[in-house]
Amino acid sequence: MIFVGVLEKVTDEFGATTGRPRRCGWLDGVVLRYAVRVNGLGSLALTKMDVLSGIKSLQLCNAYELDGQRITELPGDYEDLERVKPIYETMPAWEEDITGCRIFDELPEKAKDYILRLEELSGAQMSYIGVGPGREQTIERFPIL
């Protein structure tokens, strides 16, 4: 039996070639912050925000526990990385359908709070926000081109 978590149910993610369900997890802010730093990123695109509508609450990994200590940076040793446990913060989700939003200010307050928290965790701004599968369903918040 395959366990399907809340994210797999709402995201409807399947492999294009295999058709197998993809494993989905909550955002790891520690890895995101590391990726932003080592790649020199100042801007990110956030996709599939629409699938989070209607979830009761959202989890964000903001730190790890390693040997009883809270750490907020990625361990340098892969053996340590294998032993970390994510520490999550819970954020309230939004009920509203956001697929019709075309500017940031049209998003529900809780969705905006989530995006602002991602920016704070990552150190990069969310320049593009996908609110649906259509090309026109992308909020261009901070154009980079």
Side-chain angles (χ1 to χ4, degrees):
M1 178 175 182
I2 297 175
F3 172 77
V4 180
V6 66
L7 288 178
E8 284 89 347
K9 287 179 186 175
V10 300
T11 58
D12 199 29
E13 286 284 338
F14 291 91
T17 302
T18 65
R20 290 185 301 224
R22 290 188 177 136
R23 290 179 18 185
C24 298
W26 297 112
L27 188 129
D28 187 331
V30 178
V31 169
L32 180 60
R33 183 173 43 254
Y34 175 80
V36 164
R37 187 173 57 245
V38 300
N39 291 291
L41 303 174
S43 180
L44 297 169
L46 177 61
T47 61
K48 295 197 79 138
M49 277 282 293
D50 54 306
V51 302
L52 299 178
S53 294
I55 294 178
K56 292 183 187 202
S57 62
L58 306 172
Q59 303 293 313
L60 288 172
C61 173
N62 61 20
Y64 298 141
E65 181 183 317
L66 177 62
D67 300 331
Q69 299 293 318
R70 178 186 172 97
I71 60 172
T72 58
E73 296 296 330
L74 207 57
D77 187 306
Y78 76 90
E79 290 175 348
D80 287 343
L81 186 57
E82 289 178 341
R83 296 193 336 268
V84 299
K85 294 181 178 139
I87 298 173
Y88 292 102
E89 66 181 88
T90 302
M91 293 196 69
W94 53 94
E95 293 291 326
E96 300 89 340
D97 177 5
I98 63 171
T99 58
C101 297
R102 295 297 175 264
I103 61 172
F104 184 76
D105 287 338
E106 291 176 347
L107 291 169
E109 287 303 314
K110 291 175 183 175
K112 290 190 274 191
D113 290 344
Y114 179 74
I115 293 165
L116 295 174
R117 181 64 177 129
L118 294 182
E119 290 179 338
E120 182 180 14
L121 277 174
S122 70
Q125 61 189 15
M126 298 297 152
S127 291
Y128 297 95
I129 303 161
V131 295
R135 184 172 288 185
E136 74 287 353
Q137 292 176 300
T138 301
I139 295 172
E140 189 175 29
R141 189 163 164 233
F142 302 112
I144 58 174
L145 298 175

